Amino acid sequence: MSSIPMTSGIQRPLRNRTSFRQTLSQSFTMAYRGLLKIRRTPEQLFDVTFQPIVFTLMFTYIFGGAVSGNVHNYLPIIIPGILVQTVITTSIVTGVQLREDMDKGVFDRFKSLPIARIAPLAGALLADTVRYTIATVLTLVMGYIIGYRPGGGLLNTVIAGILVMACSWAVSWIFAFFGVIARTASSVQGISMLILFPLTFLSNALVPVNTMPHWLQWFVKINPLSHLITAVRDLANAGTVGSDLVISLVGAAVIVVIFAPLTVRAYMRRT
Amino acid sequence: MDSVKMKTDWAIEARGLVKSFGSNRAVDGVDLKVRAGTIYGVLGPNGAGKTTTVRMLATLLRPDAGSARIFGYDVVKEAQIVRQLIGVTGQYASVDETLSATENLVIFSRLLGLGRAEARRKAAELLEEFGLTDAAKRPLKHFSGGMRRRLDLAASLIAQPPLIFLDEPTTGLDPRTRTHMWEVIRRLVKSGSTVLLTTQYLDEADQLADRVAVIDRGKVVAEGTVDELKTSVGTSSLHLRVHNPMDMEEARRIVNRVLGVQSVVSTVSGKITAPMMDADRVTDLLIRLREAGIKLAEMSVQKPTLDEVFLTITGHGVEDESQSDEELNKAEAMQR
């Protein structure tokens, strides 16, 4: 308790802005923090581990016979559907955890440090890609165990998985925005579920669209998630690429272009 | 620190700081000037605006009006420079609960631009310095309040900032840990840092601060050295409780005559309270009471409390929604 030299102070020149390289490295440090937190509290991975397993089993055996005659024929339809549903739903957590995090004392310290304002936000979003990876892998493995053999081959299935993760990351910006502007974590959860529930279920995820009434088909067809699901099916089952892939990627890009600046602006104002 | 010194002698210059939350003016025109290399105390009760003031000075809150400079740099326009000059230790430890002490310090070090190995070394060094080495790997959930505060302070010192804000650094700590914190703070200043600390306790300001600002309802109501402040408040007071309530009047007359003052009687607690200018006269008083056959149940001397400082300076006592006077006295008795 005696001898730390505390006099050295600052030797670096003082600058009023953070360089791009510093911003990047600070974002990665914040992502590292996110990963450490996941490792310390593995229970927060509950949703990404159990939902893929439970949903895949449940929906496959409930709807399999009714929709496709038997479970085996249903797998190429349901597995891509469940994959998109599950991974996209995972992205809600980004907003909820961001809100919880911002309410904690440690955020005061981040704010008082001479770091890029965006770093804590970017770090959180980066760390969450781990969650998408877990959800994606588990869903596909579960599908494989109950007999799903994607016709497009392993490589195309992996590409499909990456596509889903990329789109989920894009969607997570929306929830990050709610996370920043909402007052409590539970309200973030509430709003987000309200939006995602119709989007994931009013889609072609579980059943063929032509079995639905016309007015519903109209919505299902413009639902961006339907396009993503179709793109995943094309890739995984047939190894083909169509307009649905383009629509999905453009949609994801549009979301990021709109919500990333919005989120950052709101976040800066809050902090 | 040369680059800093060149610019100004003042670590903090704040003029007319204002911050409102809704209709509540939490800070209502605060002026502060803190000379570099000193400990400055901001003294006030809960809700006086201490924390809000610190948060504005530390770039965590944007002032509604007024301006503040840290070593000559504006807290709003040059916030990122100011952040390179300050360390902030909040009222509630600003560290990550789920992570270990080492992980916390490493992450903060990395954010401050230290390399991986350098960050590890710095973390180990600071943990050693603050006596936390044994607990370094444990998650903070299992830390005591004192350990958390120490870690928090350690985190503020990573970059060796020339100015450190300590927001109620010892509130809720046991006396031993409190003394320990005081030592650390004193040492910081010896090594050239400037410290601004907020506190609810006059004796903490007394122990540490070179100068003190008393803040109440968002305004600075008094400023000066601790001695000046104490003199303005007055003297210690003598509290007597007589054994037999029937003796109260007689005892009071004797007190007034011997000490030459006006005493106050509280019938509820059966206490006589009198200002004590000259401690020597108490001997006379006790002898006189014995001669009159008045038995004392209790006798105590109380230094001026924050409550009295407030009463004197502002004309009203410490107002705290949740604390009655009784509880406040208890809290003060505990920290003595």
Side-chain angles (χ1 to χ4, degrees):
Chain A
M1 205 53 246
S2 61
S3 63
I4 271 206
M6 283 173 177
T7 37
S8 60
I10 345 104
Q11 283 110 11
R12 276 165 299 159
L14 297 169
R15 288 177 46 209
N16 201 23
R17 50 178 297 277
T18 323
S19 75
F20 181 71
R21 248 194 58 212
Q22 285 171 314
T23 307
L24 211 61
S25 106
Q26 287 155 4
S27 301
F28 277 114
T29 304
M30 292 304 291
Y32 167 70
R33 166 178 175 267
L35 293 184
L36 275 180
K37 284 183 71 159
I38 291 177
R39 220 180 62 191
R40 280 295 158 98
T41 45
E43 59 270 24
Q44 58 168 303
L45 290 179
F46 231 65
D47 59 331
V48 292
T49 45
F50 281 87
Q51 198 181 330
I53 295 169
V54 172
F55 272 34
T56 309
L57 282 175
M58 201 169 69
F59 287 126
T60 307
Y61 289 104
I62 292 175
F63 292 138
V67 175
S68 305
N70 63 52
V71 166
H72 186 75
N73 289 342
Y74 187 46
L75 286 173
I77 299 173
I78 182 79
I79 297 298
I82 292 281
L83 179 67
V84 171
Q85 264 194 353
T86 305
V87 182
I88 292 275
T89 308
T90 302
S91 64
I92 289 183
V93 178
T94 305
V96 178
Q97 285 190 345
L98 196 64
R99 176 73 269 151
E100 280 175 355
D101 224 17
M102 284 174 71
D103 290 335
K104 283 188 188 138
V106 70
F107 242 72
D108 270 357
R109 182 169 302 286
F110 293 140
K111 283 187 268 175
S112 76
L113 292 177
I115 59 172
R117 302 291 90 188
I118 181 96
L121 192 62
L125 281 146
L126 267 174
D128 274 342
T129 53
V130 171
R131 310 171 58 85
Y132 308 146
T133 313
I134 294 172
T136 304
V137 170
L138 275 180
T139 309
L140 289 174
V141 167
M142 203 57 217
Y144 187 85
I145 290 172
I146 57 178
Y148 177 51
R149 299 289 179 272
L154 182 65
L155 182 68
N156 282 319
T157 310
V158 170
I159 294 174
I162 292 171
L163 171 70
V164 175
M165 283 157 60
C167 290
S168 296
W169 183 81
V171 171
S172 74
W173 278 102
I174 302 178
F175 301 119
F177 178 65
F178 290 144
V180 172
I181 61 167
R183 222 183 299 239
T184 64
S186 58
S187 68
V188 180
Q189 175 94 28
I191 301 169
S192 307
M193 282 308 283
L194 213 64
I195 295 175
L196 259 195
F197 212 69
L199 273 180
T200 50
F201 279 92
L202 298 182
S203 72
N204 58 357
L206 304 173
V207 293
V209 184
N210 53 29
T211 61
M212 302 175 191
H214 276 286
W215 55 269
L216 190 56
Q217 282 191 29
W218 170 82
F219 178 79
V220 170
K221 277 176 185 159
I222 59 158
N223 182 349
L225 287 190
S226 297
H227 291 289
L228 177 58
I229 292 165
T230 307
V232 172
R233 281 183 189 144
D234 288 350
L235 263 170
N237 296 336
T240 56
V241 166
S243 61
D244 288 303
L245 178 75
V246 179
I247 293 171
S248 304
L249 287 176
V250 170
V254 168
I255 290 174
V256 175
V257 166
I258 294 174
F259 278 91
L262 264 180
T263 310
V264 173
R265 267 242 321 266
Y267 174 80
M268 301 270 207
R269 200 166 310 150
R270 284 290 281 247
T271 57
Chain B
M1 282 235 286
D2 290 344
S3 58
V4 172
K5 261 198 186 126
M6 271 189 298
K7 208 161 170 184
T8 171
D9 274 353
W10 298 105
I12 302 174
E13 293 167 275
R15 248 185 299 270
L17 282 181
V18 173
K19 185 77 196 178
S20 307
F21 299 111
S23 60
N24 168 32
R25 272 167 101 86
V27 174
D28 194 2
V30 162
D31 297 324
L32 280 182
K33 273 191 137 191
V34 178
R35 200 175 279 283
T38 61
I39 302 185
Y40 195 93
V42 174
L43 188 64
N46 278 335
K50 302 188 299 283
T51 298
T52 309
T53 305
V54 166
R55 288 177 67 86
M56 283 191 280
L57 294 174
T59 76
L60 297 176
L61 266 184
R62 185 186 272 268
D64 292 342
S67 68
R69 297 180 158 272
I70 304 295
F71 293 109
Y73 296 99
D74 190 280
V75 293
V76 176
K77 292 192 203 88
E78 296 163 299
Q80 204 68 337
I81 290 186
V82 169
R83 292 184 188 118
Q84 289 163 57
L85 300 169
I86 61 170
V88 189
T89 294
Q91 195 168 344
Y92 306 102
S94 30
V95 284
D96 228 317
E97 290 290 308
T98 40
L99 305 184
S100 75
T102 306
E103 285 163 348
N104 263 294
L105 292 180
V106 166
I107 285 171
F108 296 138
S109 305
R110 297 279 290 150
L111 288 173
L112 286 163
L114 269 60
R116 214 175 295 250
E118 216 183 331
R120 296 226 151 262
R121 210 179 41 240
K122 188 83 202 174
E125 204 175 274
L126 282 166
L127 289 172
E128 170 84 50
E129 164 89 357
F130 283 87
L132 291 168
T133 307
D134 293 339
K137 290 211 168 63
R138 272 190 276 155
L140 298 196
K141 279 177 221 148
H142 311 303
F143 269 39
S144 69
M147 286 160 86
R148 234 169 271 205
R149 293 290 176 86
R150 275 184 287 165
L151 179 67
D152 201 15
L153 185 53
S156 304
L157 302 181
I158 293 169
Q160 293 155 9
L163 172 62
I164 294 155
F165 292 103
L166 301 173
D167 192 11
E168 304 204 1
T170 64
T171 300
L173 294 188
D174 61 78
R176 213 181 56 121
T177 322
R178 171 187 304 250
T179 321
H180 183 100
M181 275 304 252
W182 286 353
E183 267 170 45
V184 174
I185 295 167
R186 282 199 197 97
R187 229 158 25 75
L188 276 176
V189 177
K190 255 190 212 138
S191 63
S193 297
T194 310
V195 172
L196 180 122
L197 88 122
T198 72
T199 180
Q200 303 185 39
Y201 310 124
L202 184 60
D203 77 321
E204 183 159 284
D206 197 357
Q207 285 282 334
L208 293 171
D210 300 301
R211 287 187 82 81
V212 171
V214 180
I215 189 166
D216 178 47
R217 294 179 179 170
K219 286 194 169 83
V220 175
V221 289
E223 209 268 351
T225 65
V226 174
D227 281 339
E228 285 167 3
L229 196 70
K230 272 196 191 155
T231 320
S232 78
V233 169
T235 48
S236 302
S237 54
L238 181 70
H239 297 251
L240 295 175
R241 207 151 60 83
V242 293
H243 210 80
N244 184 352
M246 307 289 274
D247 293 336
M248 277 292 259
E249 264 316 299
E250 175 67 12
R252 188 185 171 194
R253 262 198 300 278
I254 295 174
V255 169
N256 287 359
R257 201 171 57 236
V258 177
L259 296 183
V261 293
Q262 270 301 316
S263 61
V264 182
V265 170
S266 153
T267 37
V268 184
S269 55
K271 248 190 199 169
I272 302 170
T273 306
M276 193 178 73
M277 319 276 203
D278 184 359
D280 213 32
R281 288 211 193 155
V282 177
T283 324
D284 299 336
L285 173 66
L286 293 179
I287 293 170
R288 210 62 66 78
L289 286 172
R290 164 64 56 81
E291 284 169 2
I294 296 172
K295 261 186 141 179
L296 287 180
E298 200 183 306
M299 191 201 97
S300 64
V301 175
Q302 242 168 43
K303 282 194 196 152
T305 61
L306 183 57
D307 211 3
E308 284 157 331
V309 172
F310 266 82
L311 202 58
T312 315
I313 295 172
T314 66
H316 68 83
V318 174
E319 285 168 14
D320 196 309
E321 318 81 276
S322 60
Q323 280 182 319
S324 69
D325 268 14
E326 195 69 46
E327 281 169 304
L328 206 82
N329 285 336
K330 229 184 280 166
E332 264 159 11
M334 255 157 48
Q335 59 106 355
R336 200 159 277 134

Coordinates of all heavy atoms in Angstrom, one line a residue, chain B residues 1 9-12 33-41 71 162-164 185-186 188-190 192-197 208-212 223:
Chain B
M1 N 2.5 15.9 -16.7 CA 1.5 16.9 -16.2 C 1.9 18.3 -16.6 O 1.1 19.3 -16.4 CB 1.3 16.9 -14.7 CG 0.5 15.7 -14.3 SD -0.9 16.2 -13.3 CE 0.0 16.6 -11.7
D9 N -3.7 27.2 -13.4 CA -3.5 26.7 -12.0 C -4.8 26.1 -11.5 O -4.8 25.4 -10.4 CB -3.2 27.9 -11.1 CG -1.7 28.1 -11.1 OD1 -1.0 27.3 -11.7 OD2 -1.3 29.1 -10.5
W10 N -5.9 26.3 -12.1 CA -7.2 25.9 -11.6 C -7.5 24.5 -12.2 O -7.5 24.3 -13.4 CB -8.3 26.8 -11.9 CG -8.1 28.2 -11.3 CD1 -7.7 29.3 -11.9 CD2 -8.3 28.5 -9.9 NE1 -7.6 30.3 -10.9 CE2 -7.9 29.9 -9.7 CE3 -8.7 27.7 -8.8 CZ2 -8.0 30.5 -8.5 CZ3 -8.7 28.4 -7.5 CH2 -8.4 29.7 -7.4
A11 N -7.7 23.5 -11.3 CA -8.2 22.2 -11.8 C -9.6 22.3 -12.2 O -10.0 21.7 -13.3 CB -8.0 21.2 -10.7
I12 N -10.4 23.0 -11.5 CA -11.8 23.2 -11.8 C -12.2 24.6 -11.7 O -11.9 25.3 -10.8 CB -12.8 22.4 -10.9 CG1 -12.4 20.9 -10.9 CG2 -14.2 22.6 -11.2 CD1 -13.1 20.1 -9.8
K33 N -14.4 26.8 -7.6 CA -13.0 27.0 -8.1 C -12.1 26.1 -7.3 O -12.0 26.3 -6.1 CB -12.5 28.5 -8.0 CG -12.9 29.3 -9.2 CD -12.3 30.7 -9.2 CE -11.7 31.0 -10.5 NZ -10.8 32.2 -10.6
V34 N -11.4 25.2 -7.9 CA -10.6 24.3 -7.2 C -9.1 24.4 -7.7 O -8.9 24.2 -8.9 CB -11.1 22.8 -7.4 CG1 -10.2 21.9 -6.6 CG2 -12.5 22.7 -6.9
R35 N -8.2 24.7 -6.8 CA -6.8 24.8 -7.2 C -6.2 23.5 -7.4 O -6.5 22.5 -6.7 CB -6.1 25.6 -6.1 CG -4.8 26.3 -6.5 CD -4.2 27.1 -5.5 NE -4.8 28.4 -5.3 CZ -4.5 29.5 -6.2 NH1 -3.7 29.3 -7.2 NH2 -5.1 30.6 -6.0
A36 N -5.3 23.4 -8.4 CA -4.7 22.1 -8.7 C -3.9 21.7 -7.5 O -3.3 22.5 -6.8 CB -3.8 22.2 -9.9
G37 N -3.9 20.4 -7.2 CA -3.0 19.8 -6.1 C -3.7 19.9 -4.7 O -3.0 19.7 -3.7
T38 N -4.9 20.2 -4.7 CA -5.6 20.3 -3.4 C -6.8 19.2 -3.3 O -7.2 18.7 -4.3 CB -6.2 21.7 -3.1 OG1 -7.2 21.9 -4.1 CG2 -5.1 22.7 -3.2
I39 N -7.3 19.1 -2.0 CA -8.5 18.3 -1.9 C -9.6 19.3 -1.6 O -9.5 20.1 -0.7 CB -8.4 17.3 -0.7 CG1 -7.2 16.3 -0.9 CG2 -9.7 16.5 -0.5 CD1 -7.1 15.3 0.2
Y40 N -10.6 19.2 -2.4 CA -11.8 20.1 -2.2 C -13.0 19.3 -1.9 O -13.3 18.3 -2.5 CB -12.0 20.8 -3.6 CG -12.9 22.0 -3.4 CD1 -12.3 23.3 -3.2 CD2 -14.2 21.9 -3.5 CE1 -13.1 24.4 -3.1 CE2 -15.1 23.1 -3.4 CZ -14.5 24.3 -3.2 OH -15.3 25.4 -3.1
G41 N -13.7 19.7 -0.8 CA -14.8 19.0 -0.3 C -16.1 19.7 -0.7 O -16.2 20.9 -0.6
F71 N -9.0 22.0 -15.9 CA -7.6 22.4 -16.4 C -7.7 23.3 -17.6 O -6.9 23.2 -18.5 CB -6.7 21.2 -16.6 CG -6.4 20.4 -15.4 CD1 -7.0 19.2 -15.2 CD2 -5.5 21.0 -14.4 CE1 -6.7 18.5 -14.0 CE2 -5.3 20.2 -13.3 CZ -5.8 19.0 -13.1
P162 N -4.9 13.6 -13.5 CA -4.5 14.6 -12.6 C -5.7 15.1 -11.7 O -5.4 15.8 -10.7 CB -4.0 15.8 -13.5 CG -4.5 15.4 -14.9 CD -4.7 14.0 -14.9
L163 N -6.9 14.8 -12.1 CA -8.1 15.2 -11.3 C -9.0 14.0 -11.1 O -9.3 13.3 -12.0 CB -8.9 16.3 -12.0 CG -10.2 16.7 -11.4 CD1 -10.0 17.3 -10.0 CD2 -11.0 17.7 -12.2
I164 N -9.3 13.8 -9.8 CA -10.1 12.6 -9.5 C -11.4 13.1 -8.7 O -11.3 13.9 -7.8 CB -9.4 11.7 -8.6 CG1 -8.2 11.1 -9.4 CG2 -10.2 10.5 -8.1 CD1 -7.1 10.6 -8.6
I185 N -6.8 8.5 -0.2 CA -7.0 9.8 -0.8 C -5.9 10.8 -0.5 O -5.5 11.6 -1.4 CB -8.4 10.3 -0.3 CG1 -9.5 9.4 -0.8 CG2 -8.7 11.8 -0.8 CD1 -10.9 9.6 -0.1
R186 N -5.5 10.8 0.7 CA -4.4 11.7 1.1 C -3.1 11.4 0.2 O -2.4 12.3 -0.2 CB -4.0 11.5 2.5 CG -5.0 12.2 3.4 CD -4.4 12.4 4.8 NE -5.5 12.7 5.8 CZ -6.0 11.8 6.5 NH1 -5.6 10.5 6.5 NH2 -7.0 12.1 7.3
L188 N -3.0 10.2 -2.7 CA -3.2 10.6 -4.1 C -2.8 12.1 -4.3 O -2.1 12.4 -5.2 CB -4.7 10.5 -4.4 CG -5.2 9.2 -4.8 CD1 -6.7 9.3 -5.0 CD2 -4.6 8.8 -6.1
V189 N -3.1 12.9 -3.3 CA -2.8 14.3 -3.4 C -1.4 14.6 -3.3 O -0.8 15.4 -3.9 CB -3.7 15.1 -2.4 CG1 -3.3 16.6 -2.5 CG2 -5.1 14.9 -2.7
K190 N -0.7 13.8 -2.4 CA 0.7 13.9 -2.2 C 1.4 13.7 -3.5 O 2.5 14.3 -3.8 CB 1.2 12.9 -1.1 CG 1.5 13.6 0.2 CD 2.2 12.7 1.1 CE 1.8 13.0 2.5 NZ 1.6 11.8 3.3
G192 N 0.5 14.4 -6.3 CA 0.3 15.5 -7.3 C -1.1 15.6 -7.9 O -1.4 16.5 -8.7
S193 N -2.0 14.7 -7.5 CA -3.4 14.7 -8.1 C -4.2 15.8 -7.3 O -3.9 16.2 -6.2 CB -4.1 13.4 -7.9 OG -3.4 12.4 -8.7
T194 N -5.3 16.2 -8.0 CA -6.3 17.0 -7.4 C -7.5 16.2 -7.1 O -7.8 15.3 -7.9 CB -6.7 18.2 -8.3 OG1 -5.5 18.8 -8.8 CG2 -7.6 19.2 -7.6
V195 N -8.1 16.3 -5.9 CA -9.3 15.5 -5.6 C -10.5 16.4 -5.3 O -10.3 17.4 -4.5 CB -9.0 14.6 -4.4 CG1 -10.3 13.9 -4.0 CG2 -7.9 13.6 -4.8
L196 N -11.6 16.1 -5.9 CA -12.8 16.7 -5.5 C -13.7 15.7 -4.9 O -14.0 14.7 -5.6 CB -13.6 17.4 -6.7 CG -14.9 18.1 -6.3 CD1 -14.9 19.5 -6.6 CD2 -16.1 17.4 -6.9
L197 N -14.1 15.8 -3.6 CA -14.9 14.8 -3.0 C -16.1 15.3 -2.5 O -16.2 16.5 -2.0 CB -14.1 14.0 -2.0 CG -14.0 14.5 -0.5 CD1 -14.5 13.4 0.3 CD2 -12.6 14.9 -0.1
L208 N -10.1 15.7 5.5 CA -9.4 15.6 4.2 C -9.3 16.9 3.5 O -8.2 17.2 2.9 CB -10.2 14.6 3.3 CG -10.2 13.2 3.7 CD1 -11.2 12.4 2.8 CD2 -8.8 12.6 3.6
A209 N -10.3 17.7 3.5 CA -10.4 18.8 2.5 C -9.6 20.0 3.0 O -9.6 20.4 4.1 CB -11.8 19.2 2.3
D210 N -8.9 20.6 2.0 CA -8.3 21.9 2.2 C -9.4 23.0 2.2 O -9.3 23.9 3.0 CB -7.3 22.2 1.1 CG -6.2 21.2 1.0 OD1 -5.5 21.0 2.0 OD2 -6.1 20.5 0.0
R211 N -10.3 23.0 1.3 CA -11.4 23.9 1.2 C -12.7 23.1 1.0 O -12.7 22.0 0.6 CB -11.2 24.9 0.0 CG -10.1 25.9 0.2 CD -10.1 26.9 -0.9 NE -11.1 27.9 -0.7 CZ -10.9 29.0 0.0 NH1 -9.8 29.2 0.7 NH2 -11.9 29.9 0.1
V212 N -13.7 23.8 1.4 CA -15.0 23.2 1.4 C -16.1 24.1 0.8 O -16.0 25.3 1.1 CB -15.5 22.8 2.9 CG1 -16.9 22.3 2.9 CG2 -14.6 21.7 3.4
E223 N -18.5 28.9 1.5 CA -17.3 28.4 0.9 C -16.1 28.9 1.7 O -16.1 30.0 2.2 CB -17.2 28.9 -0.6 CG -16.4 28.0 -1.5 CD -14.9 28.3 -1.6 OE1 -14.5 29.3 -1.0 OE2 -14.2 27.5 -2.2

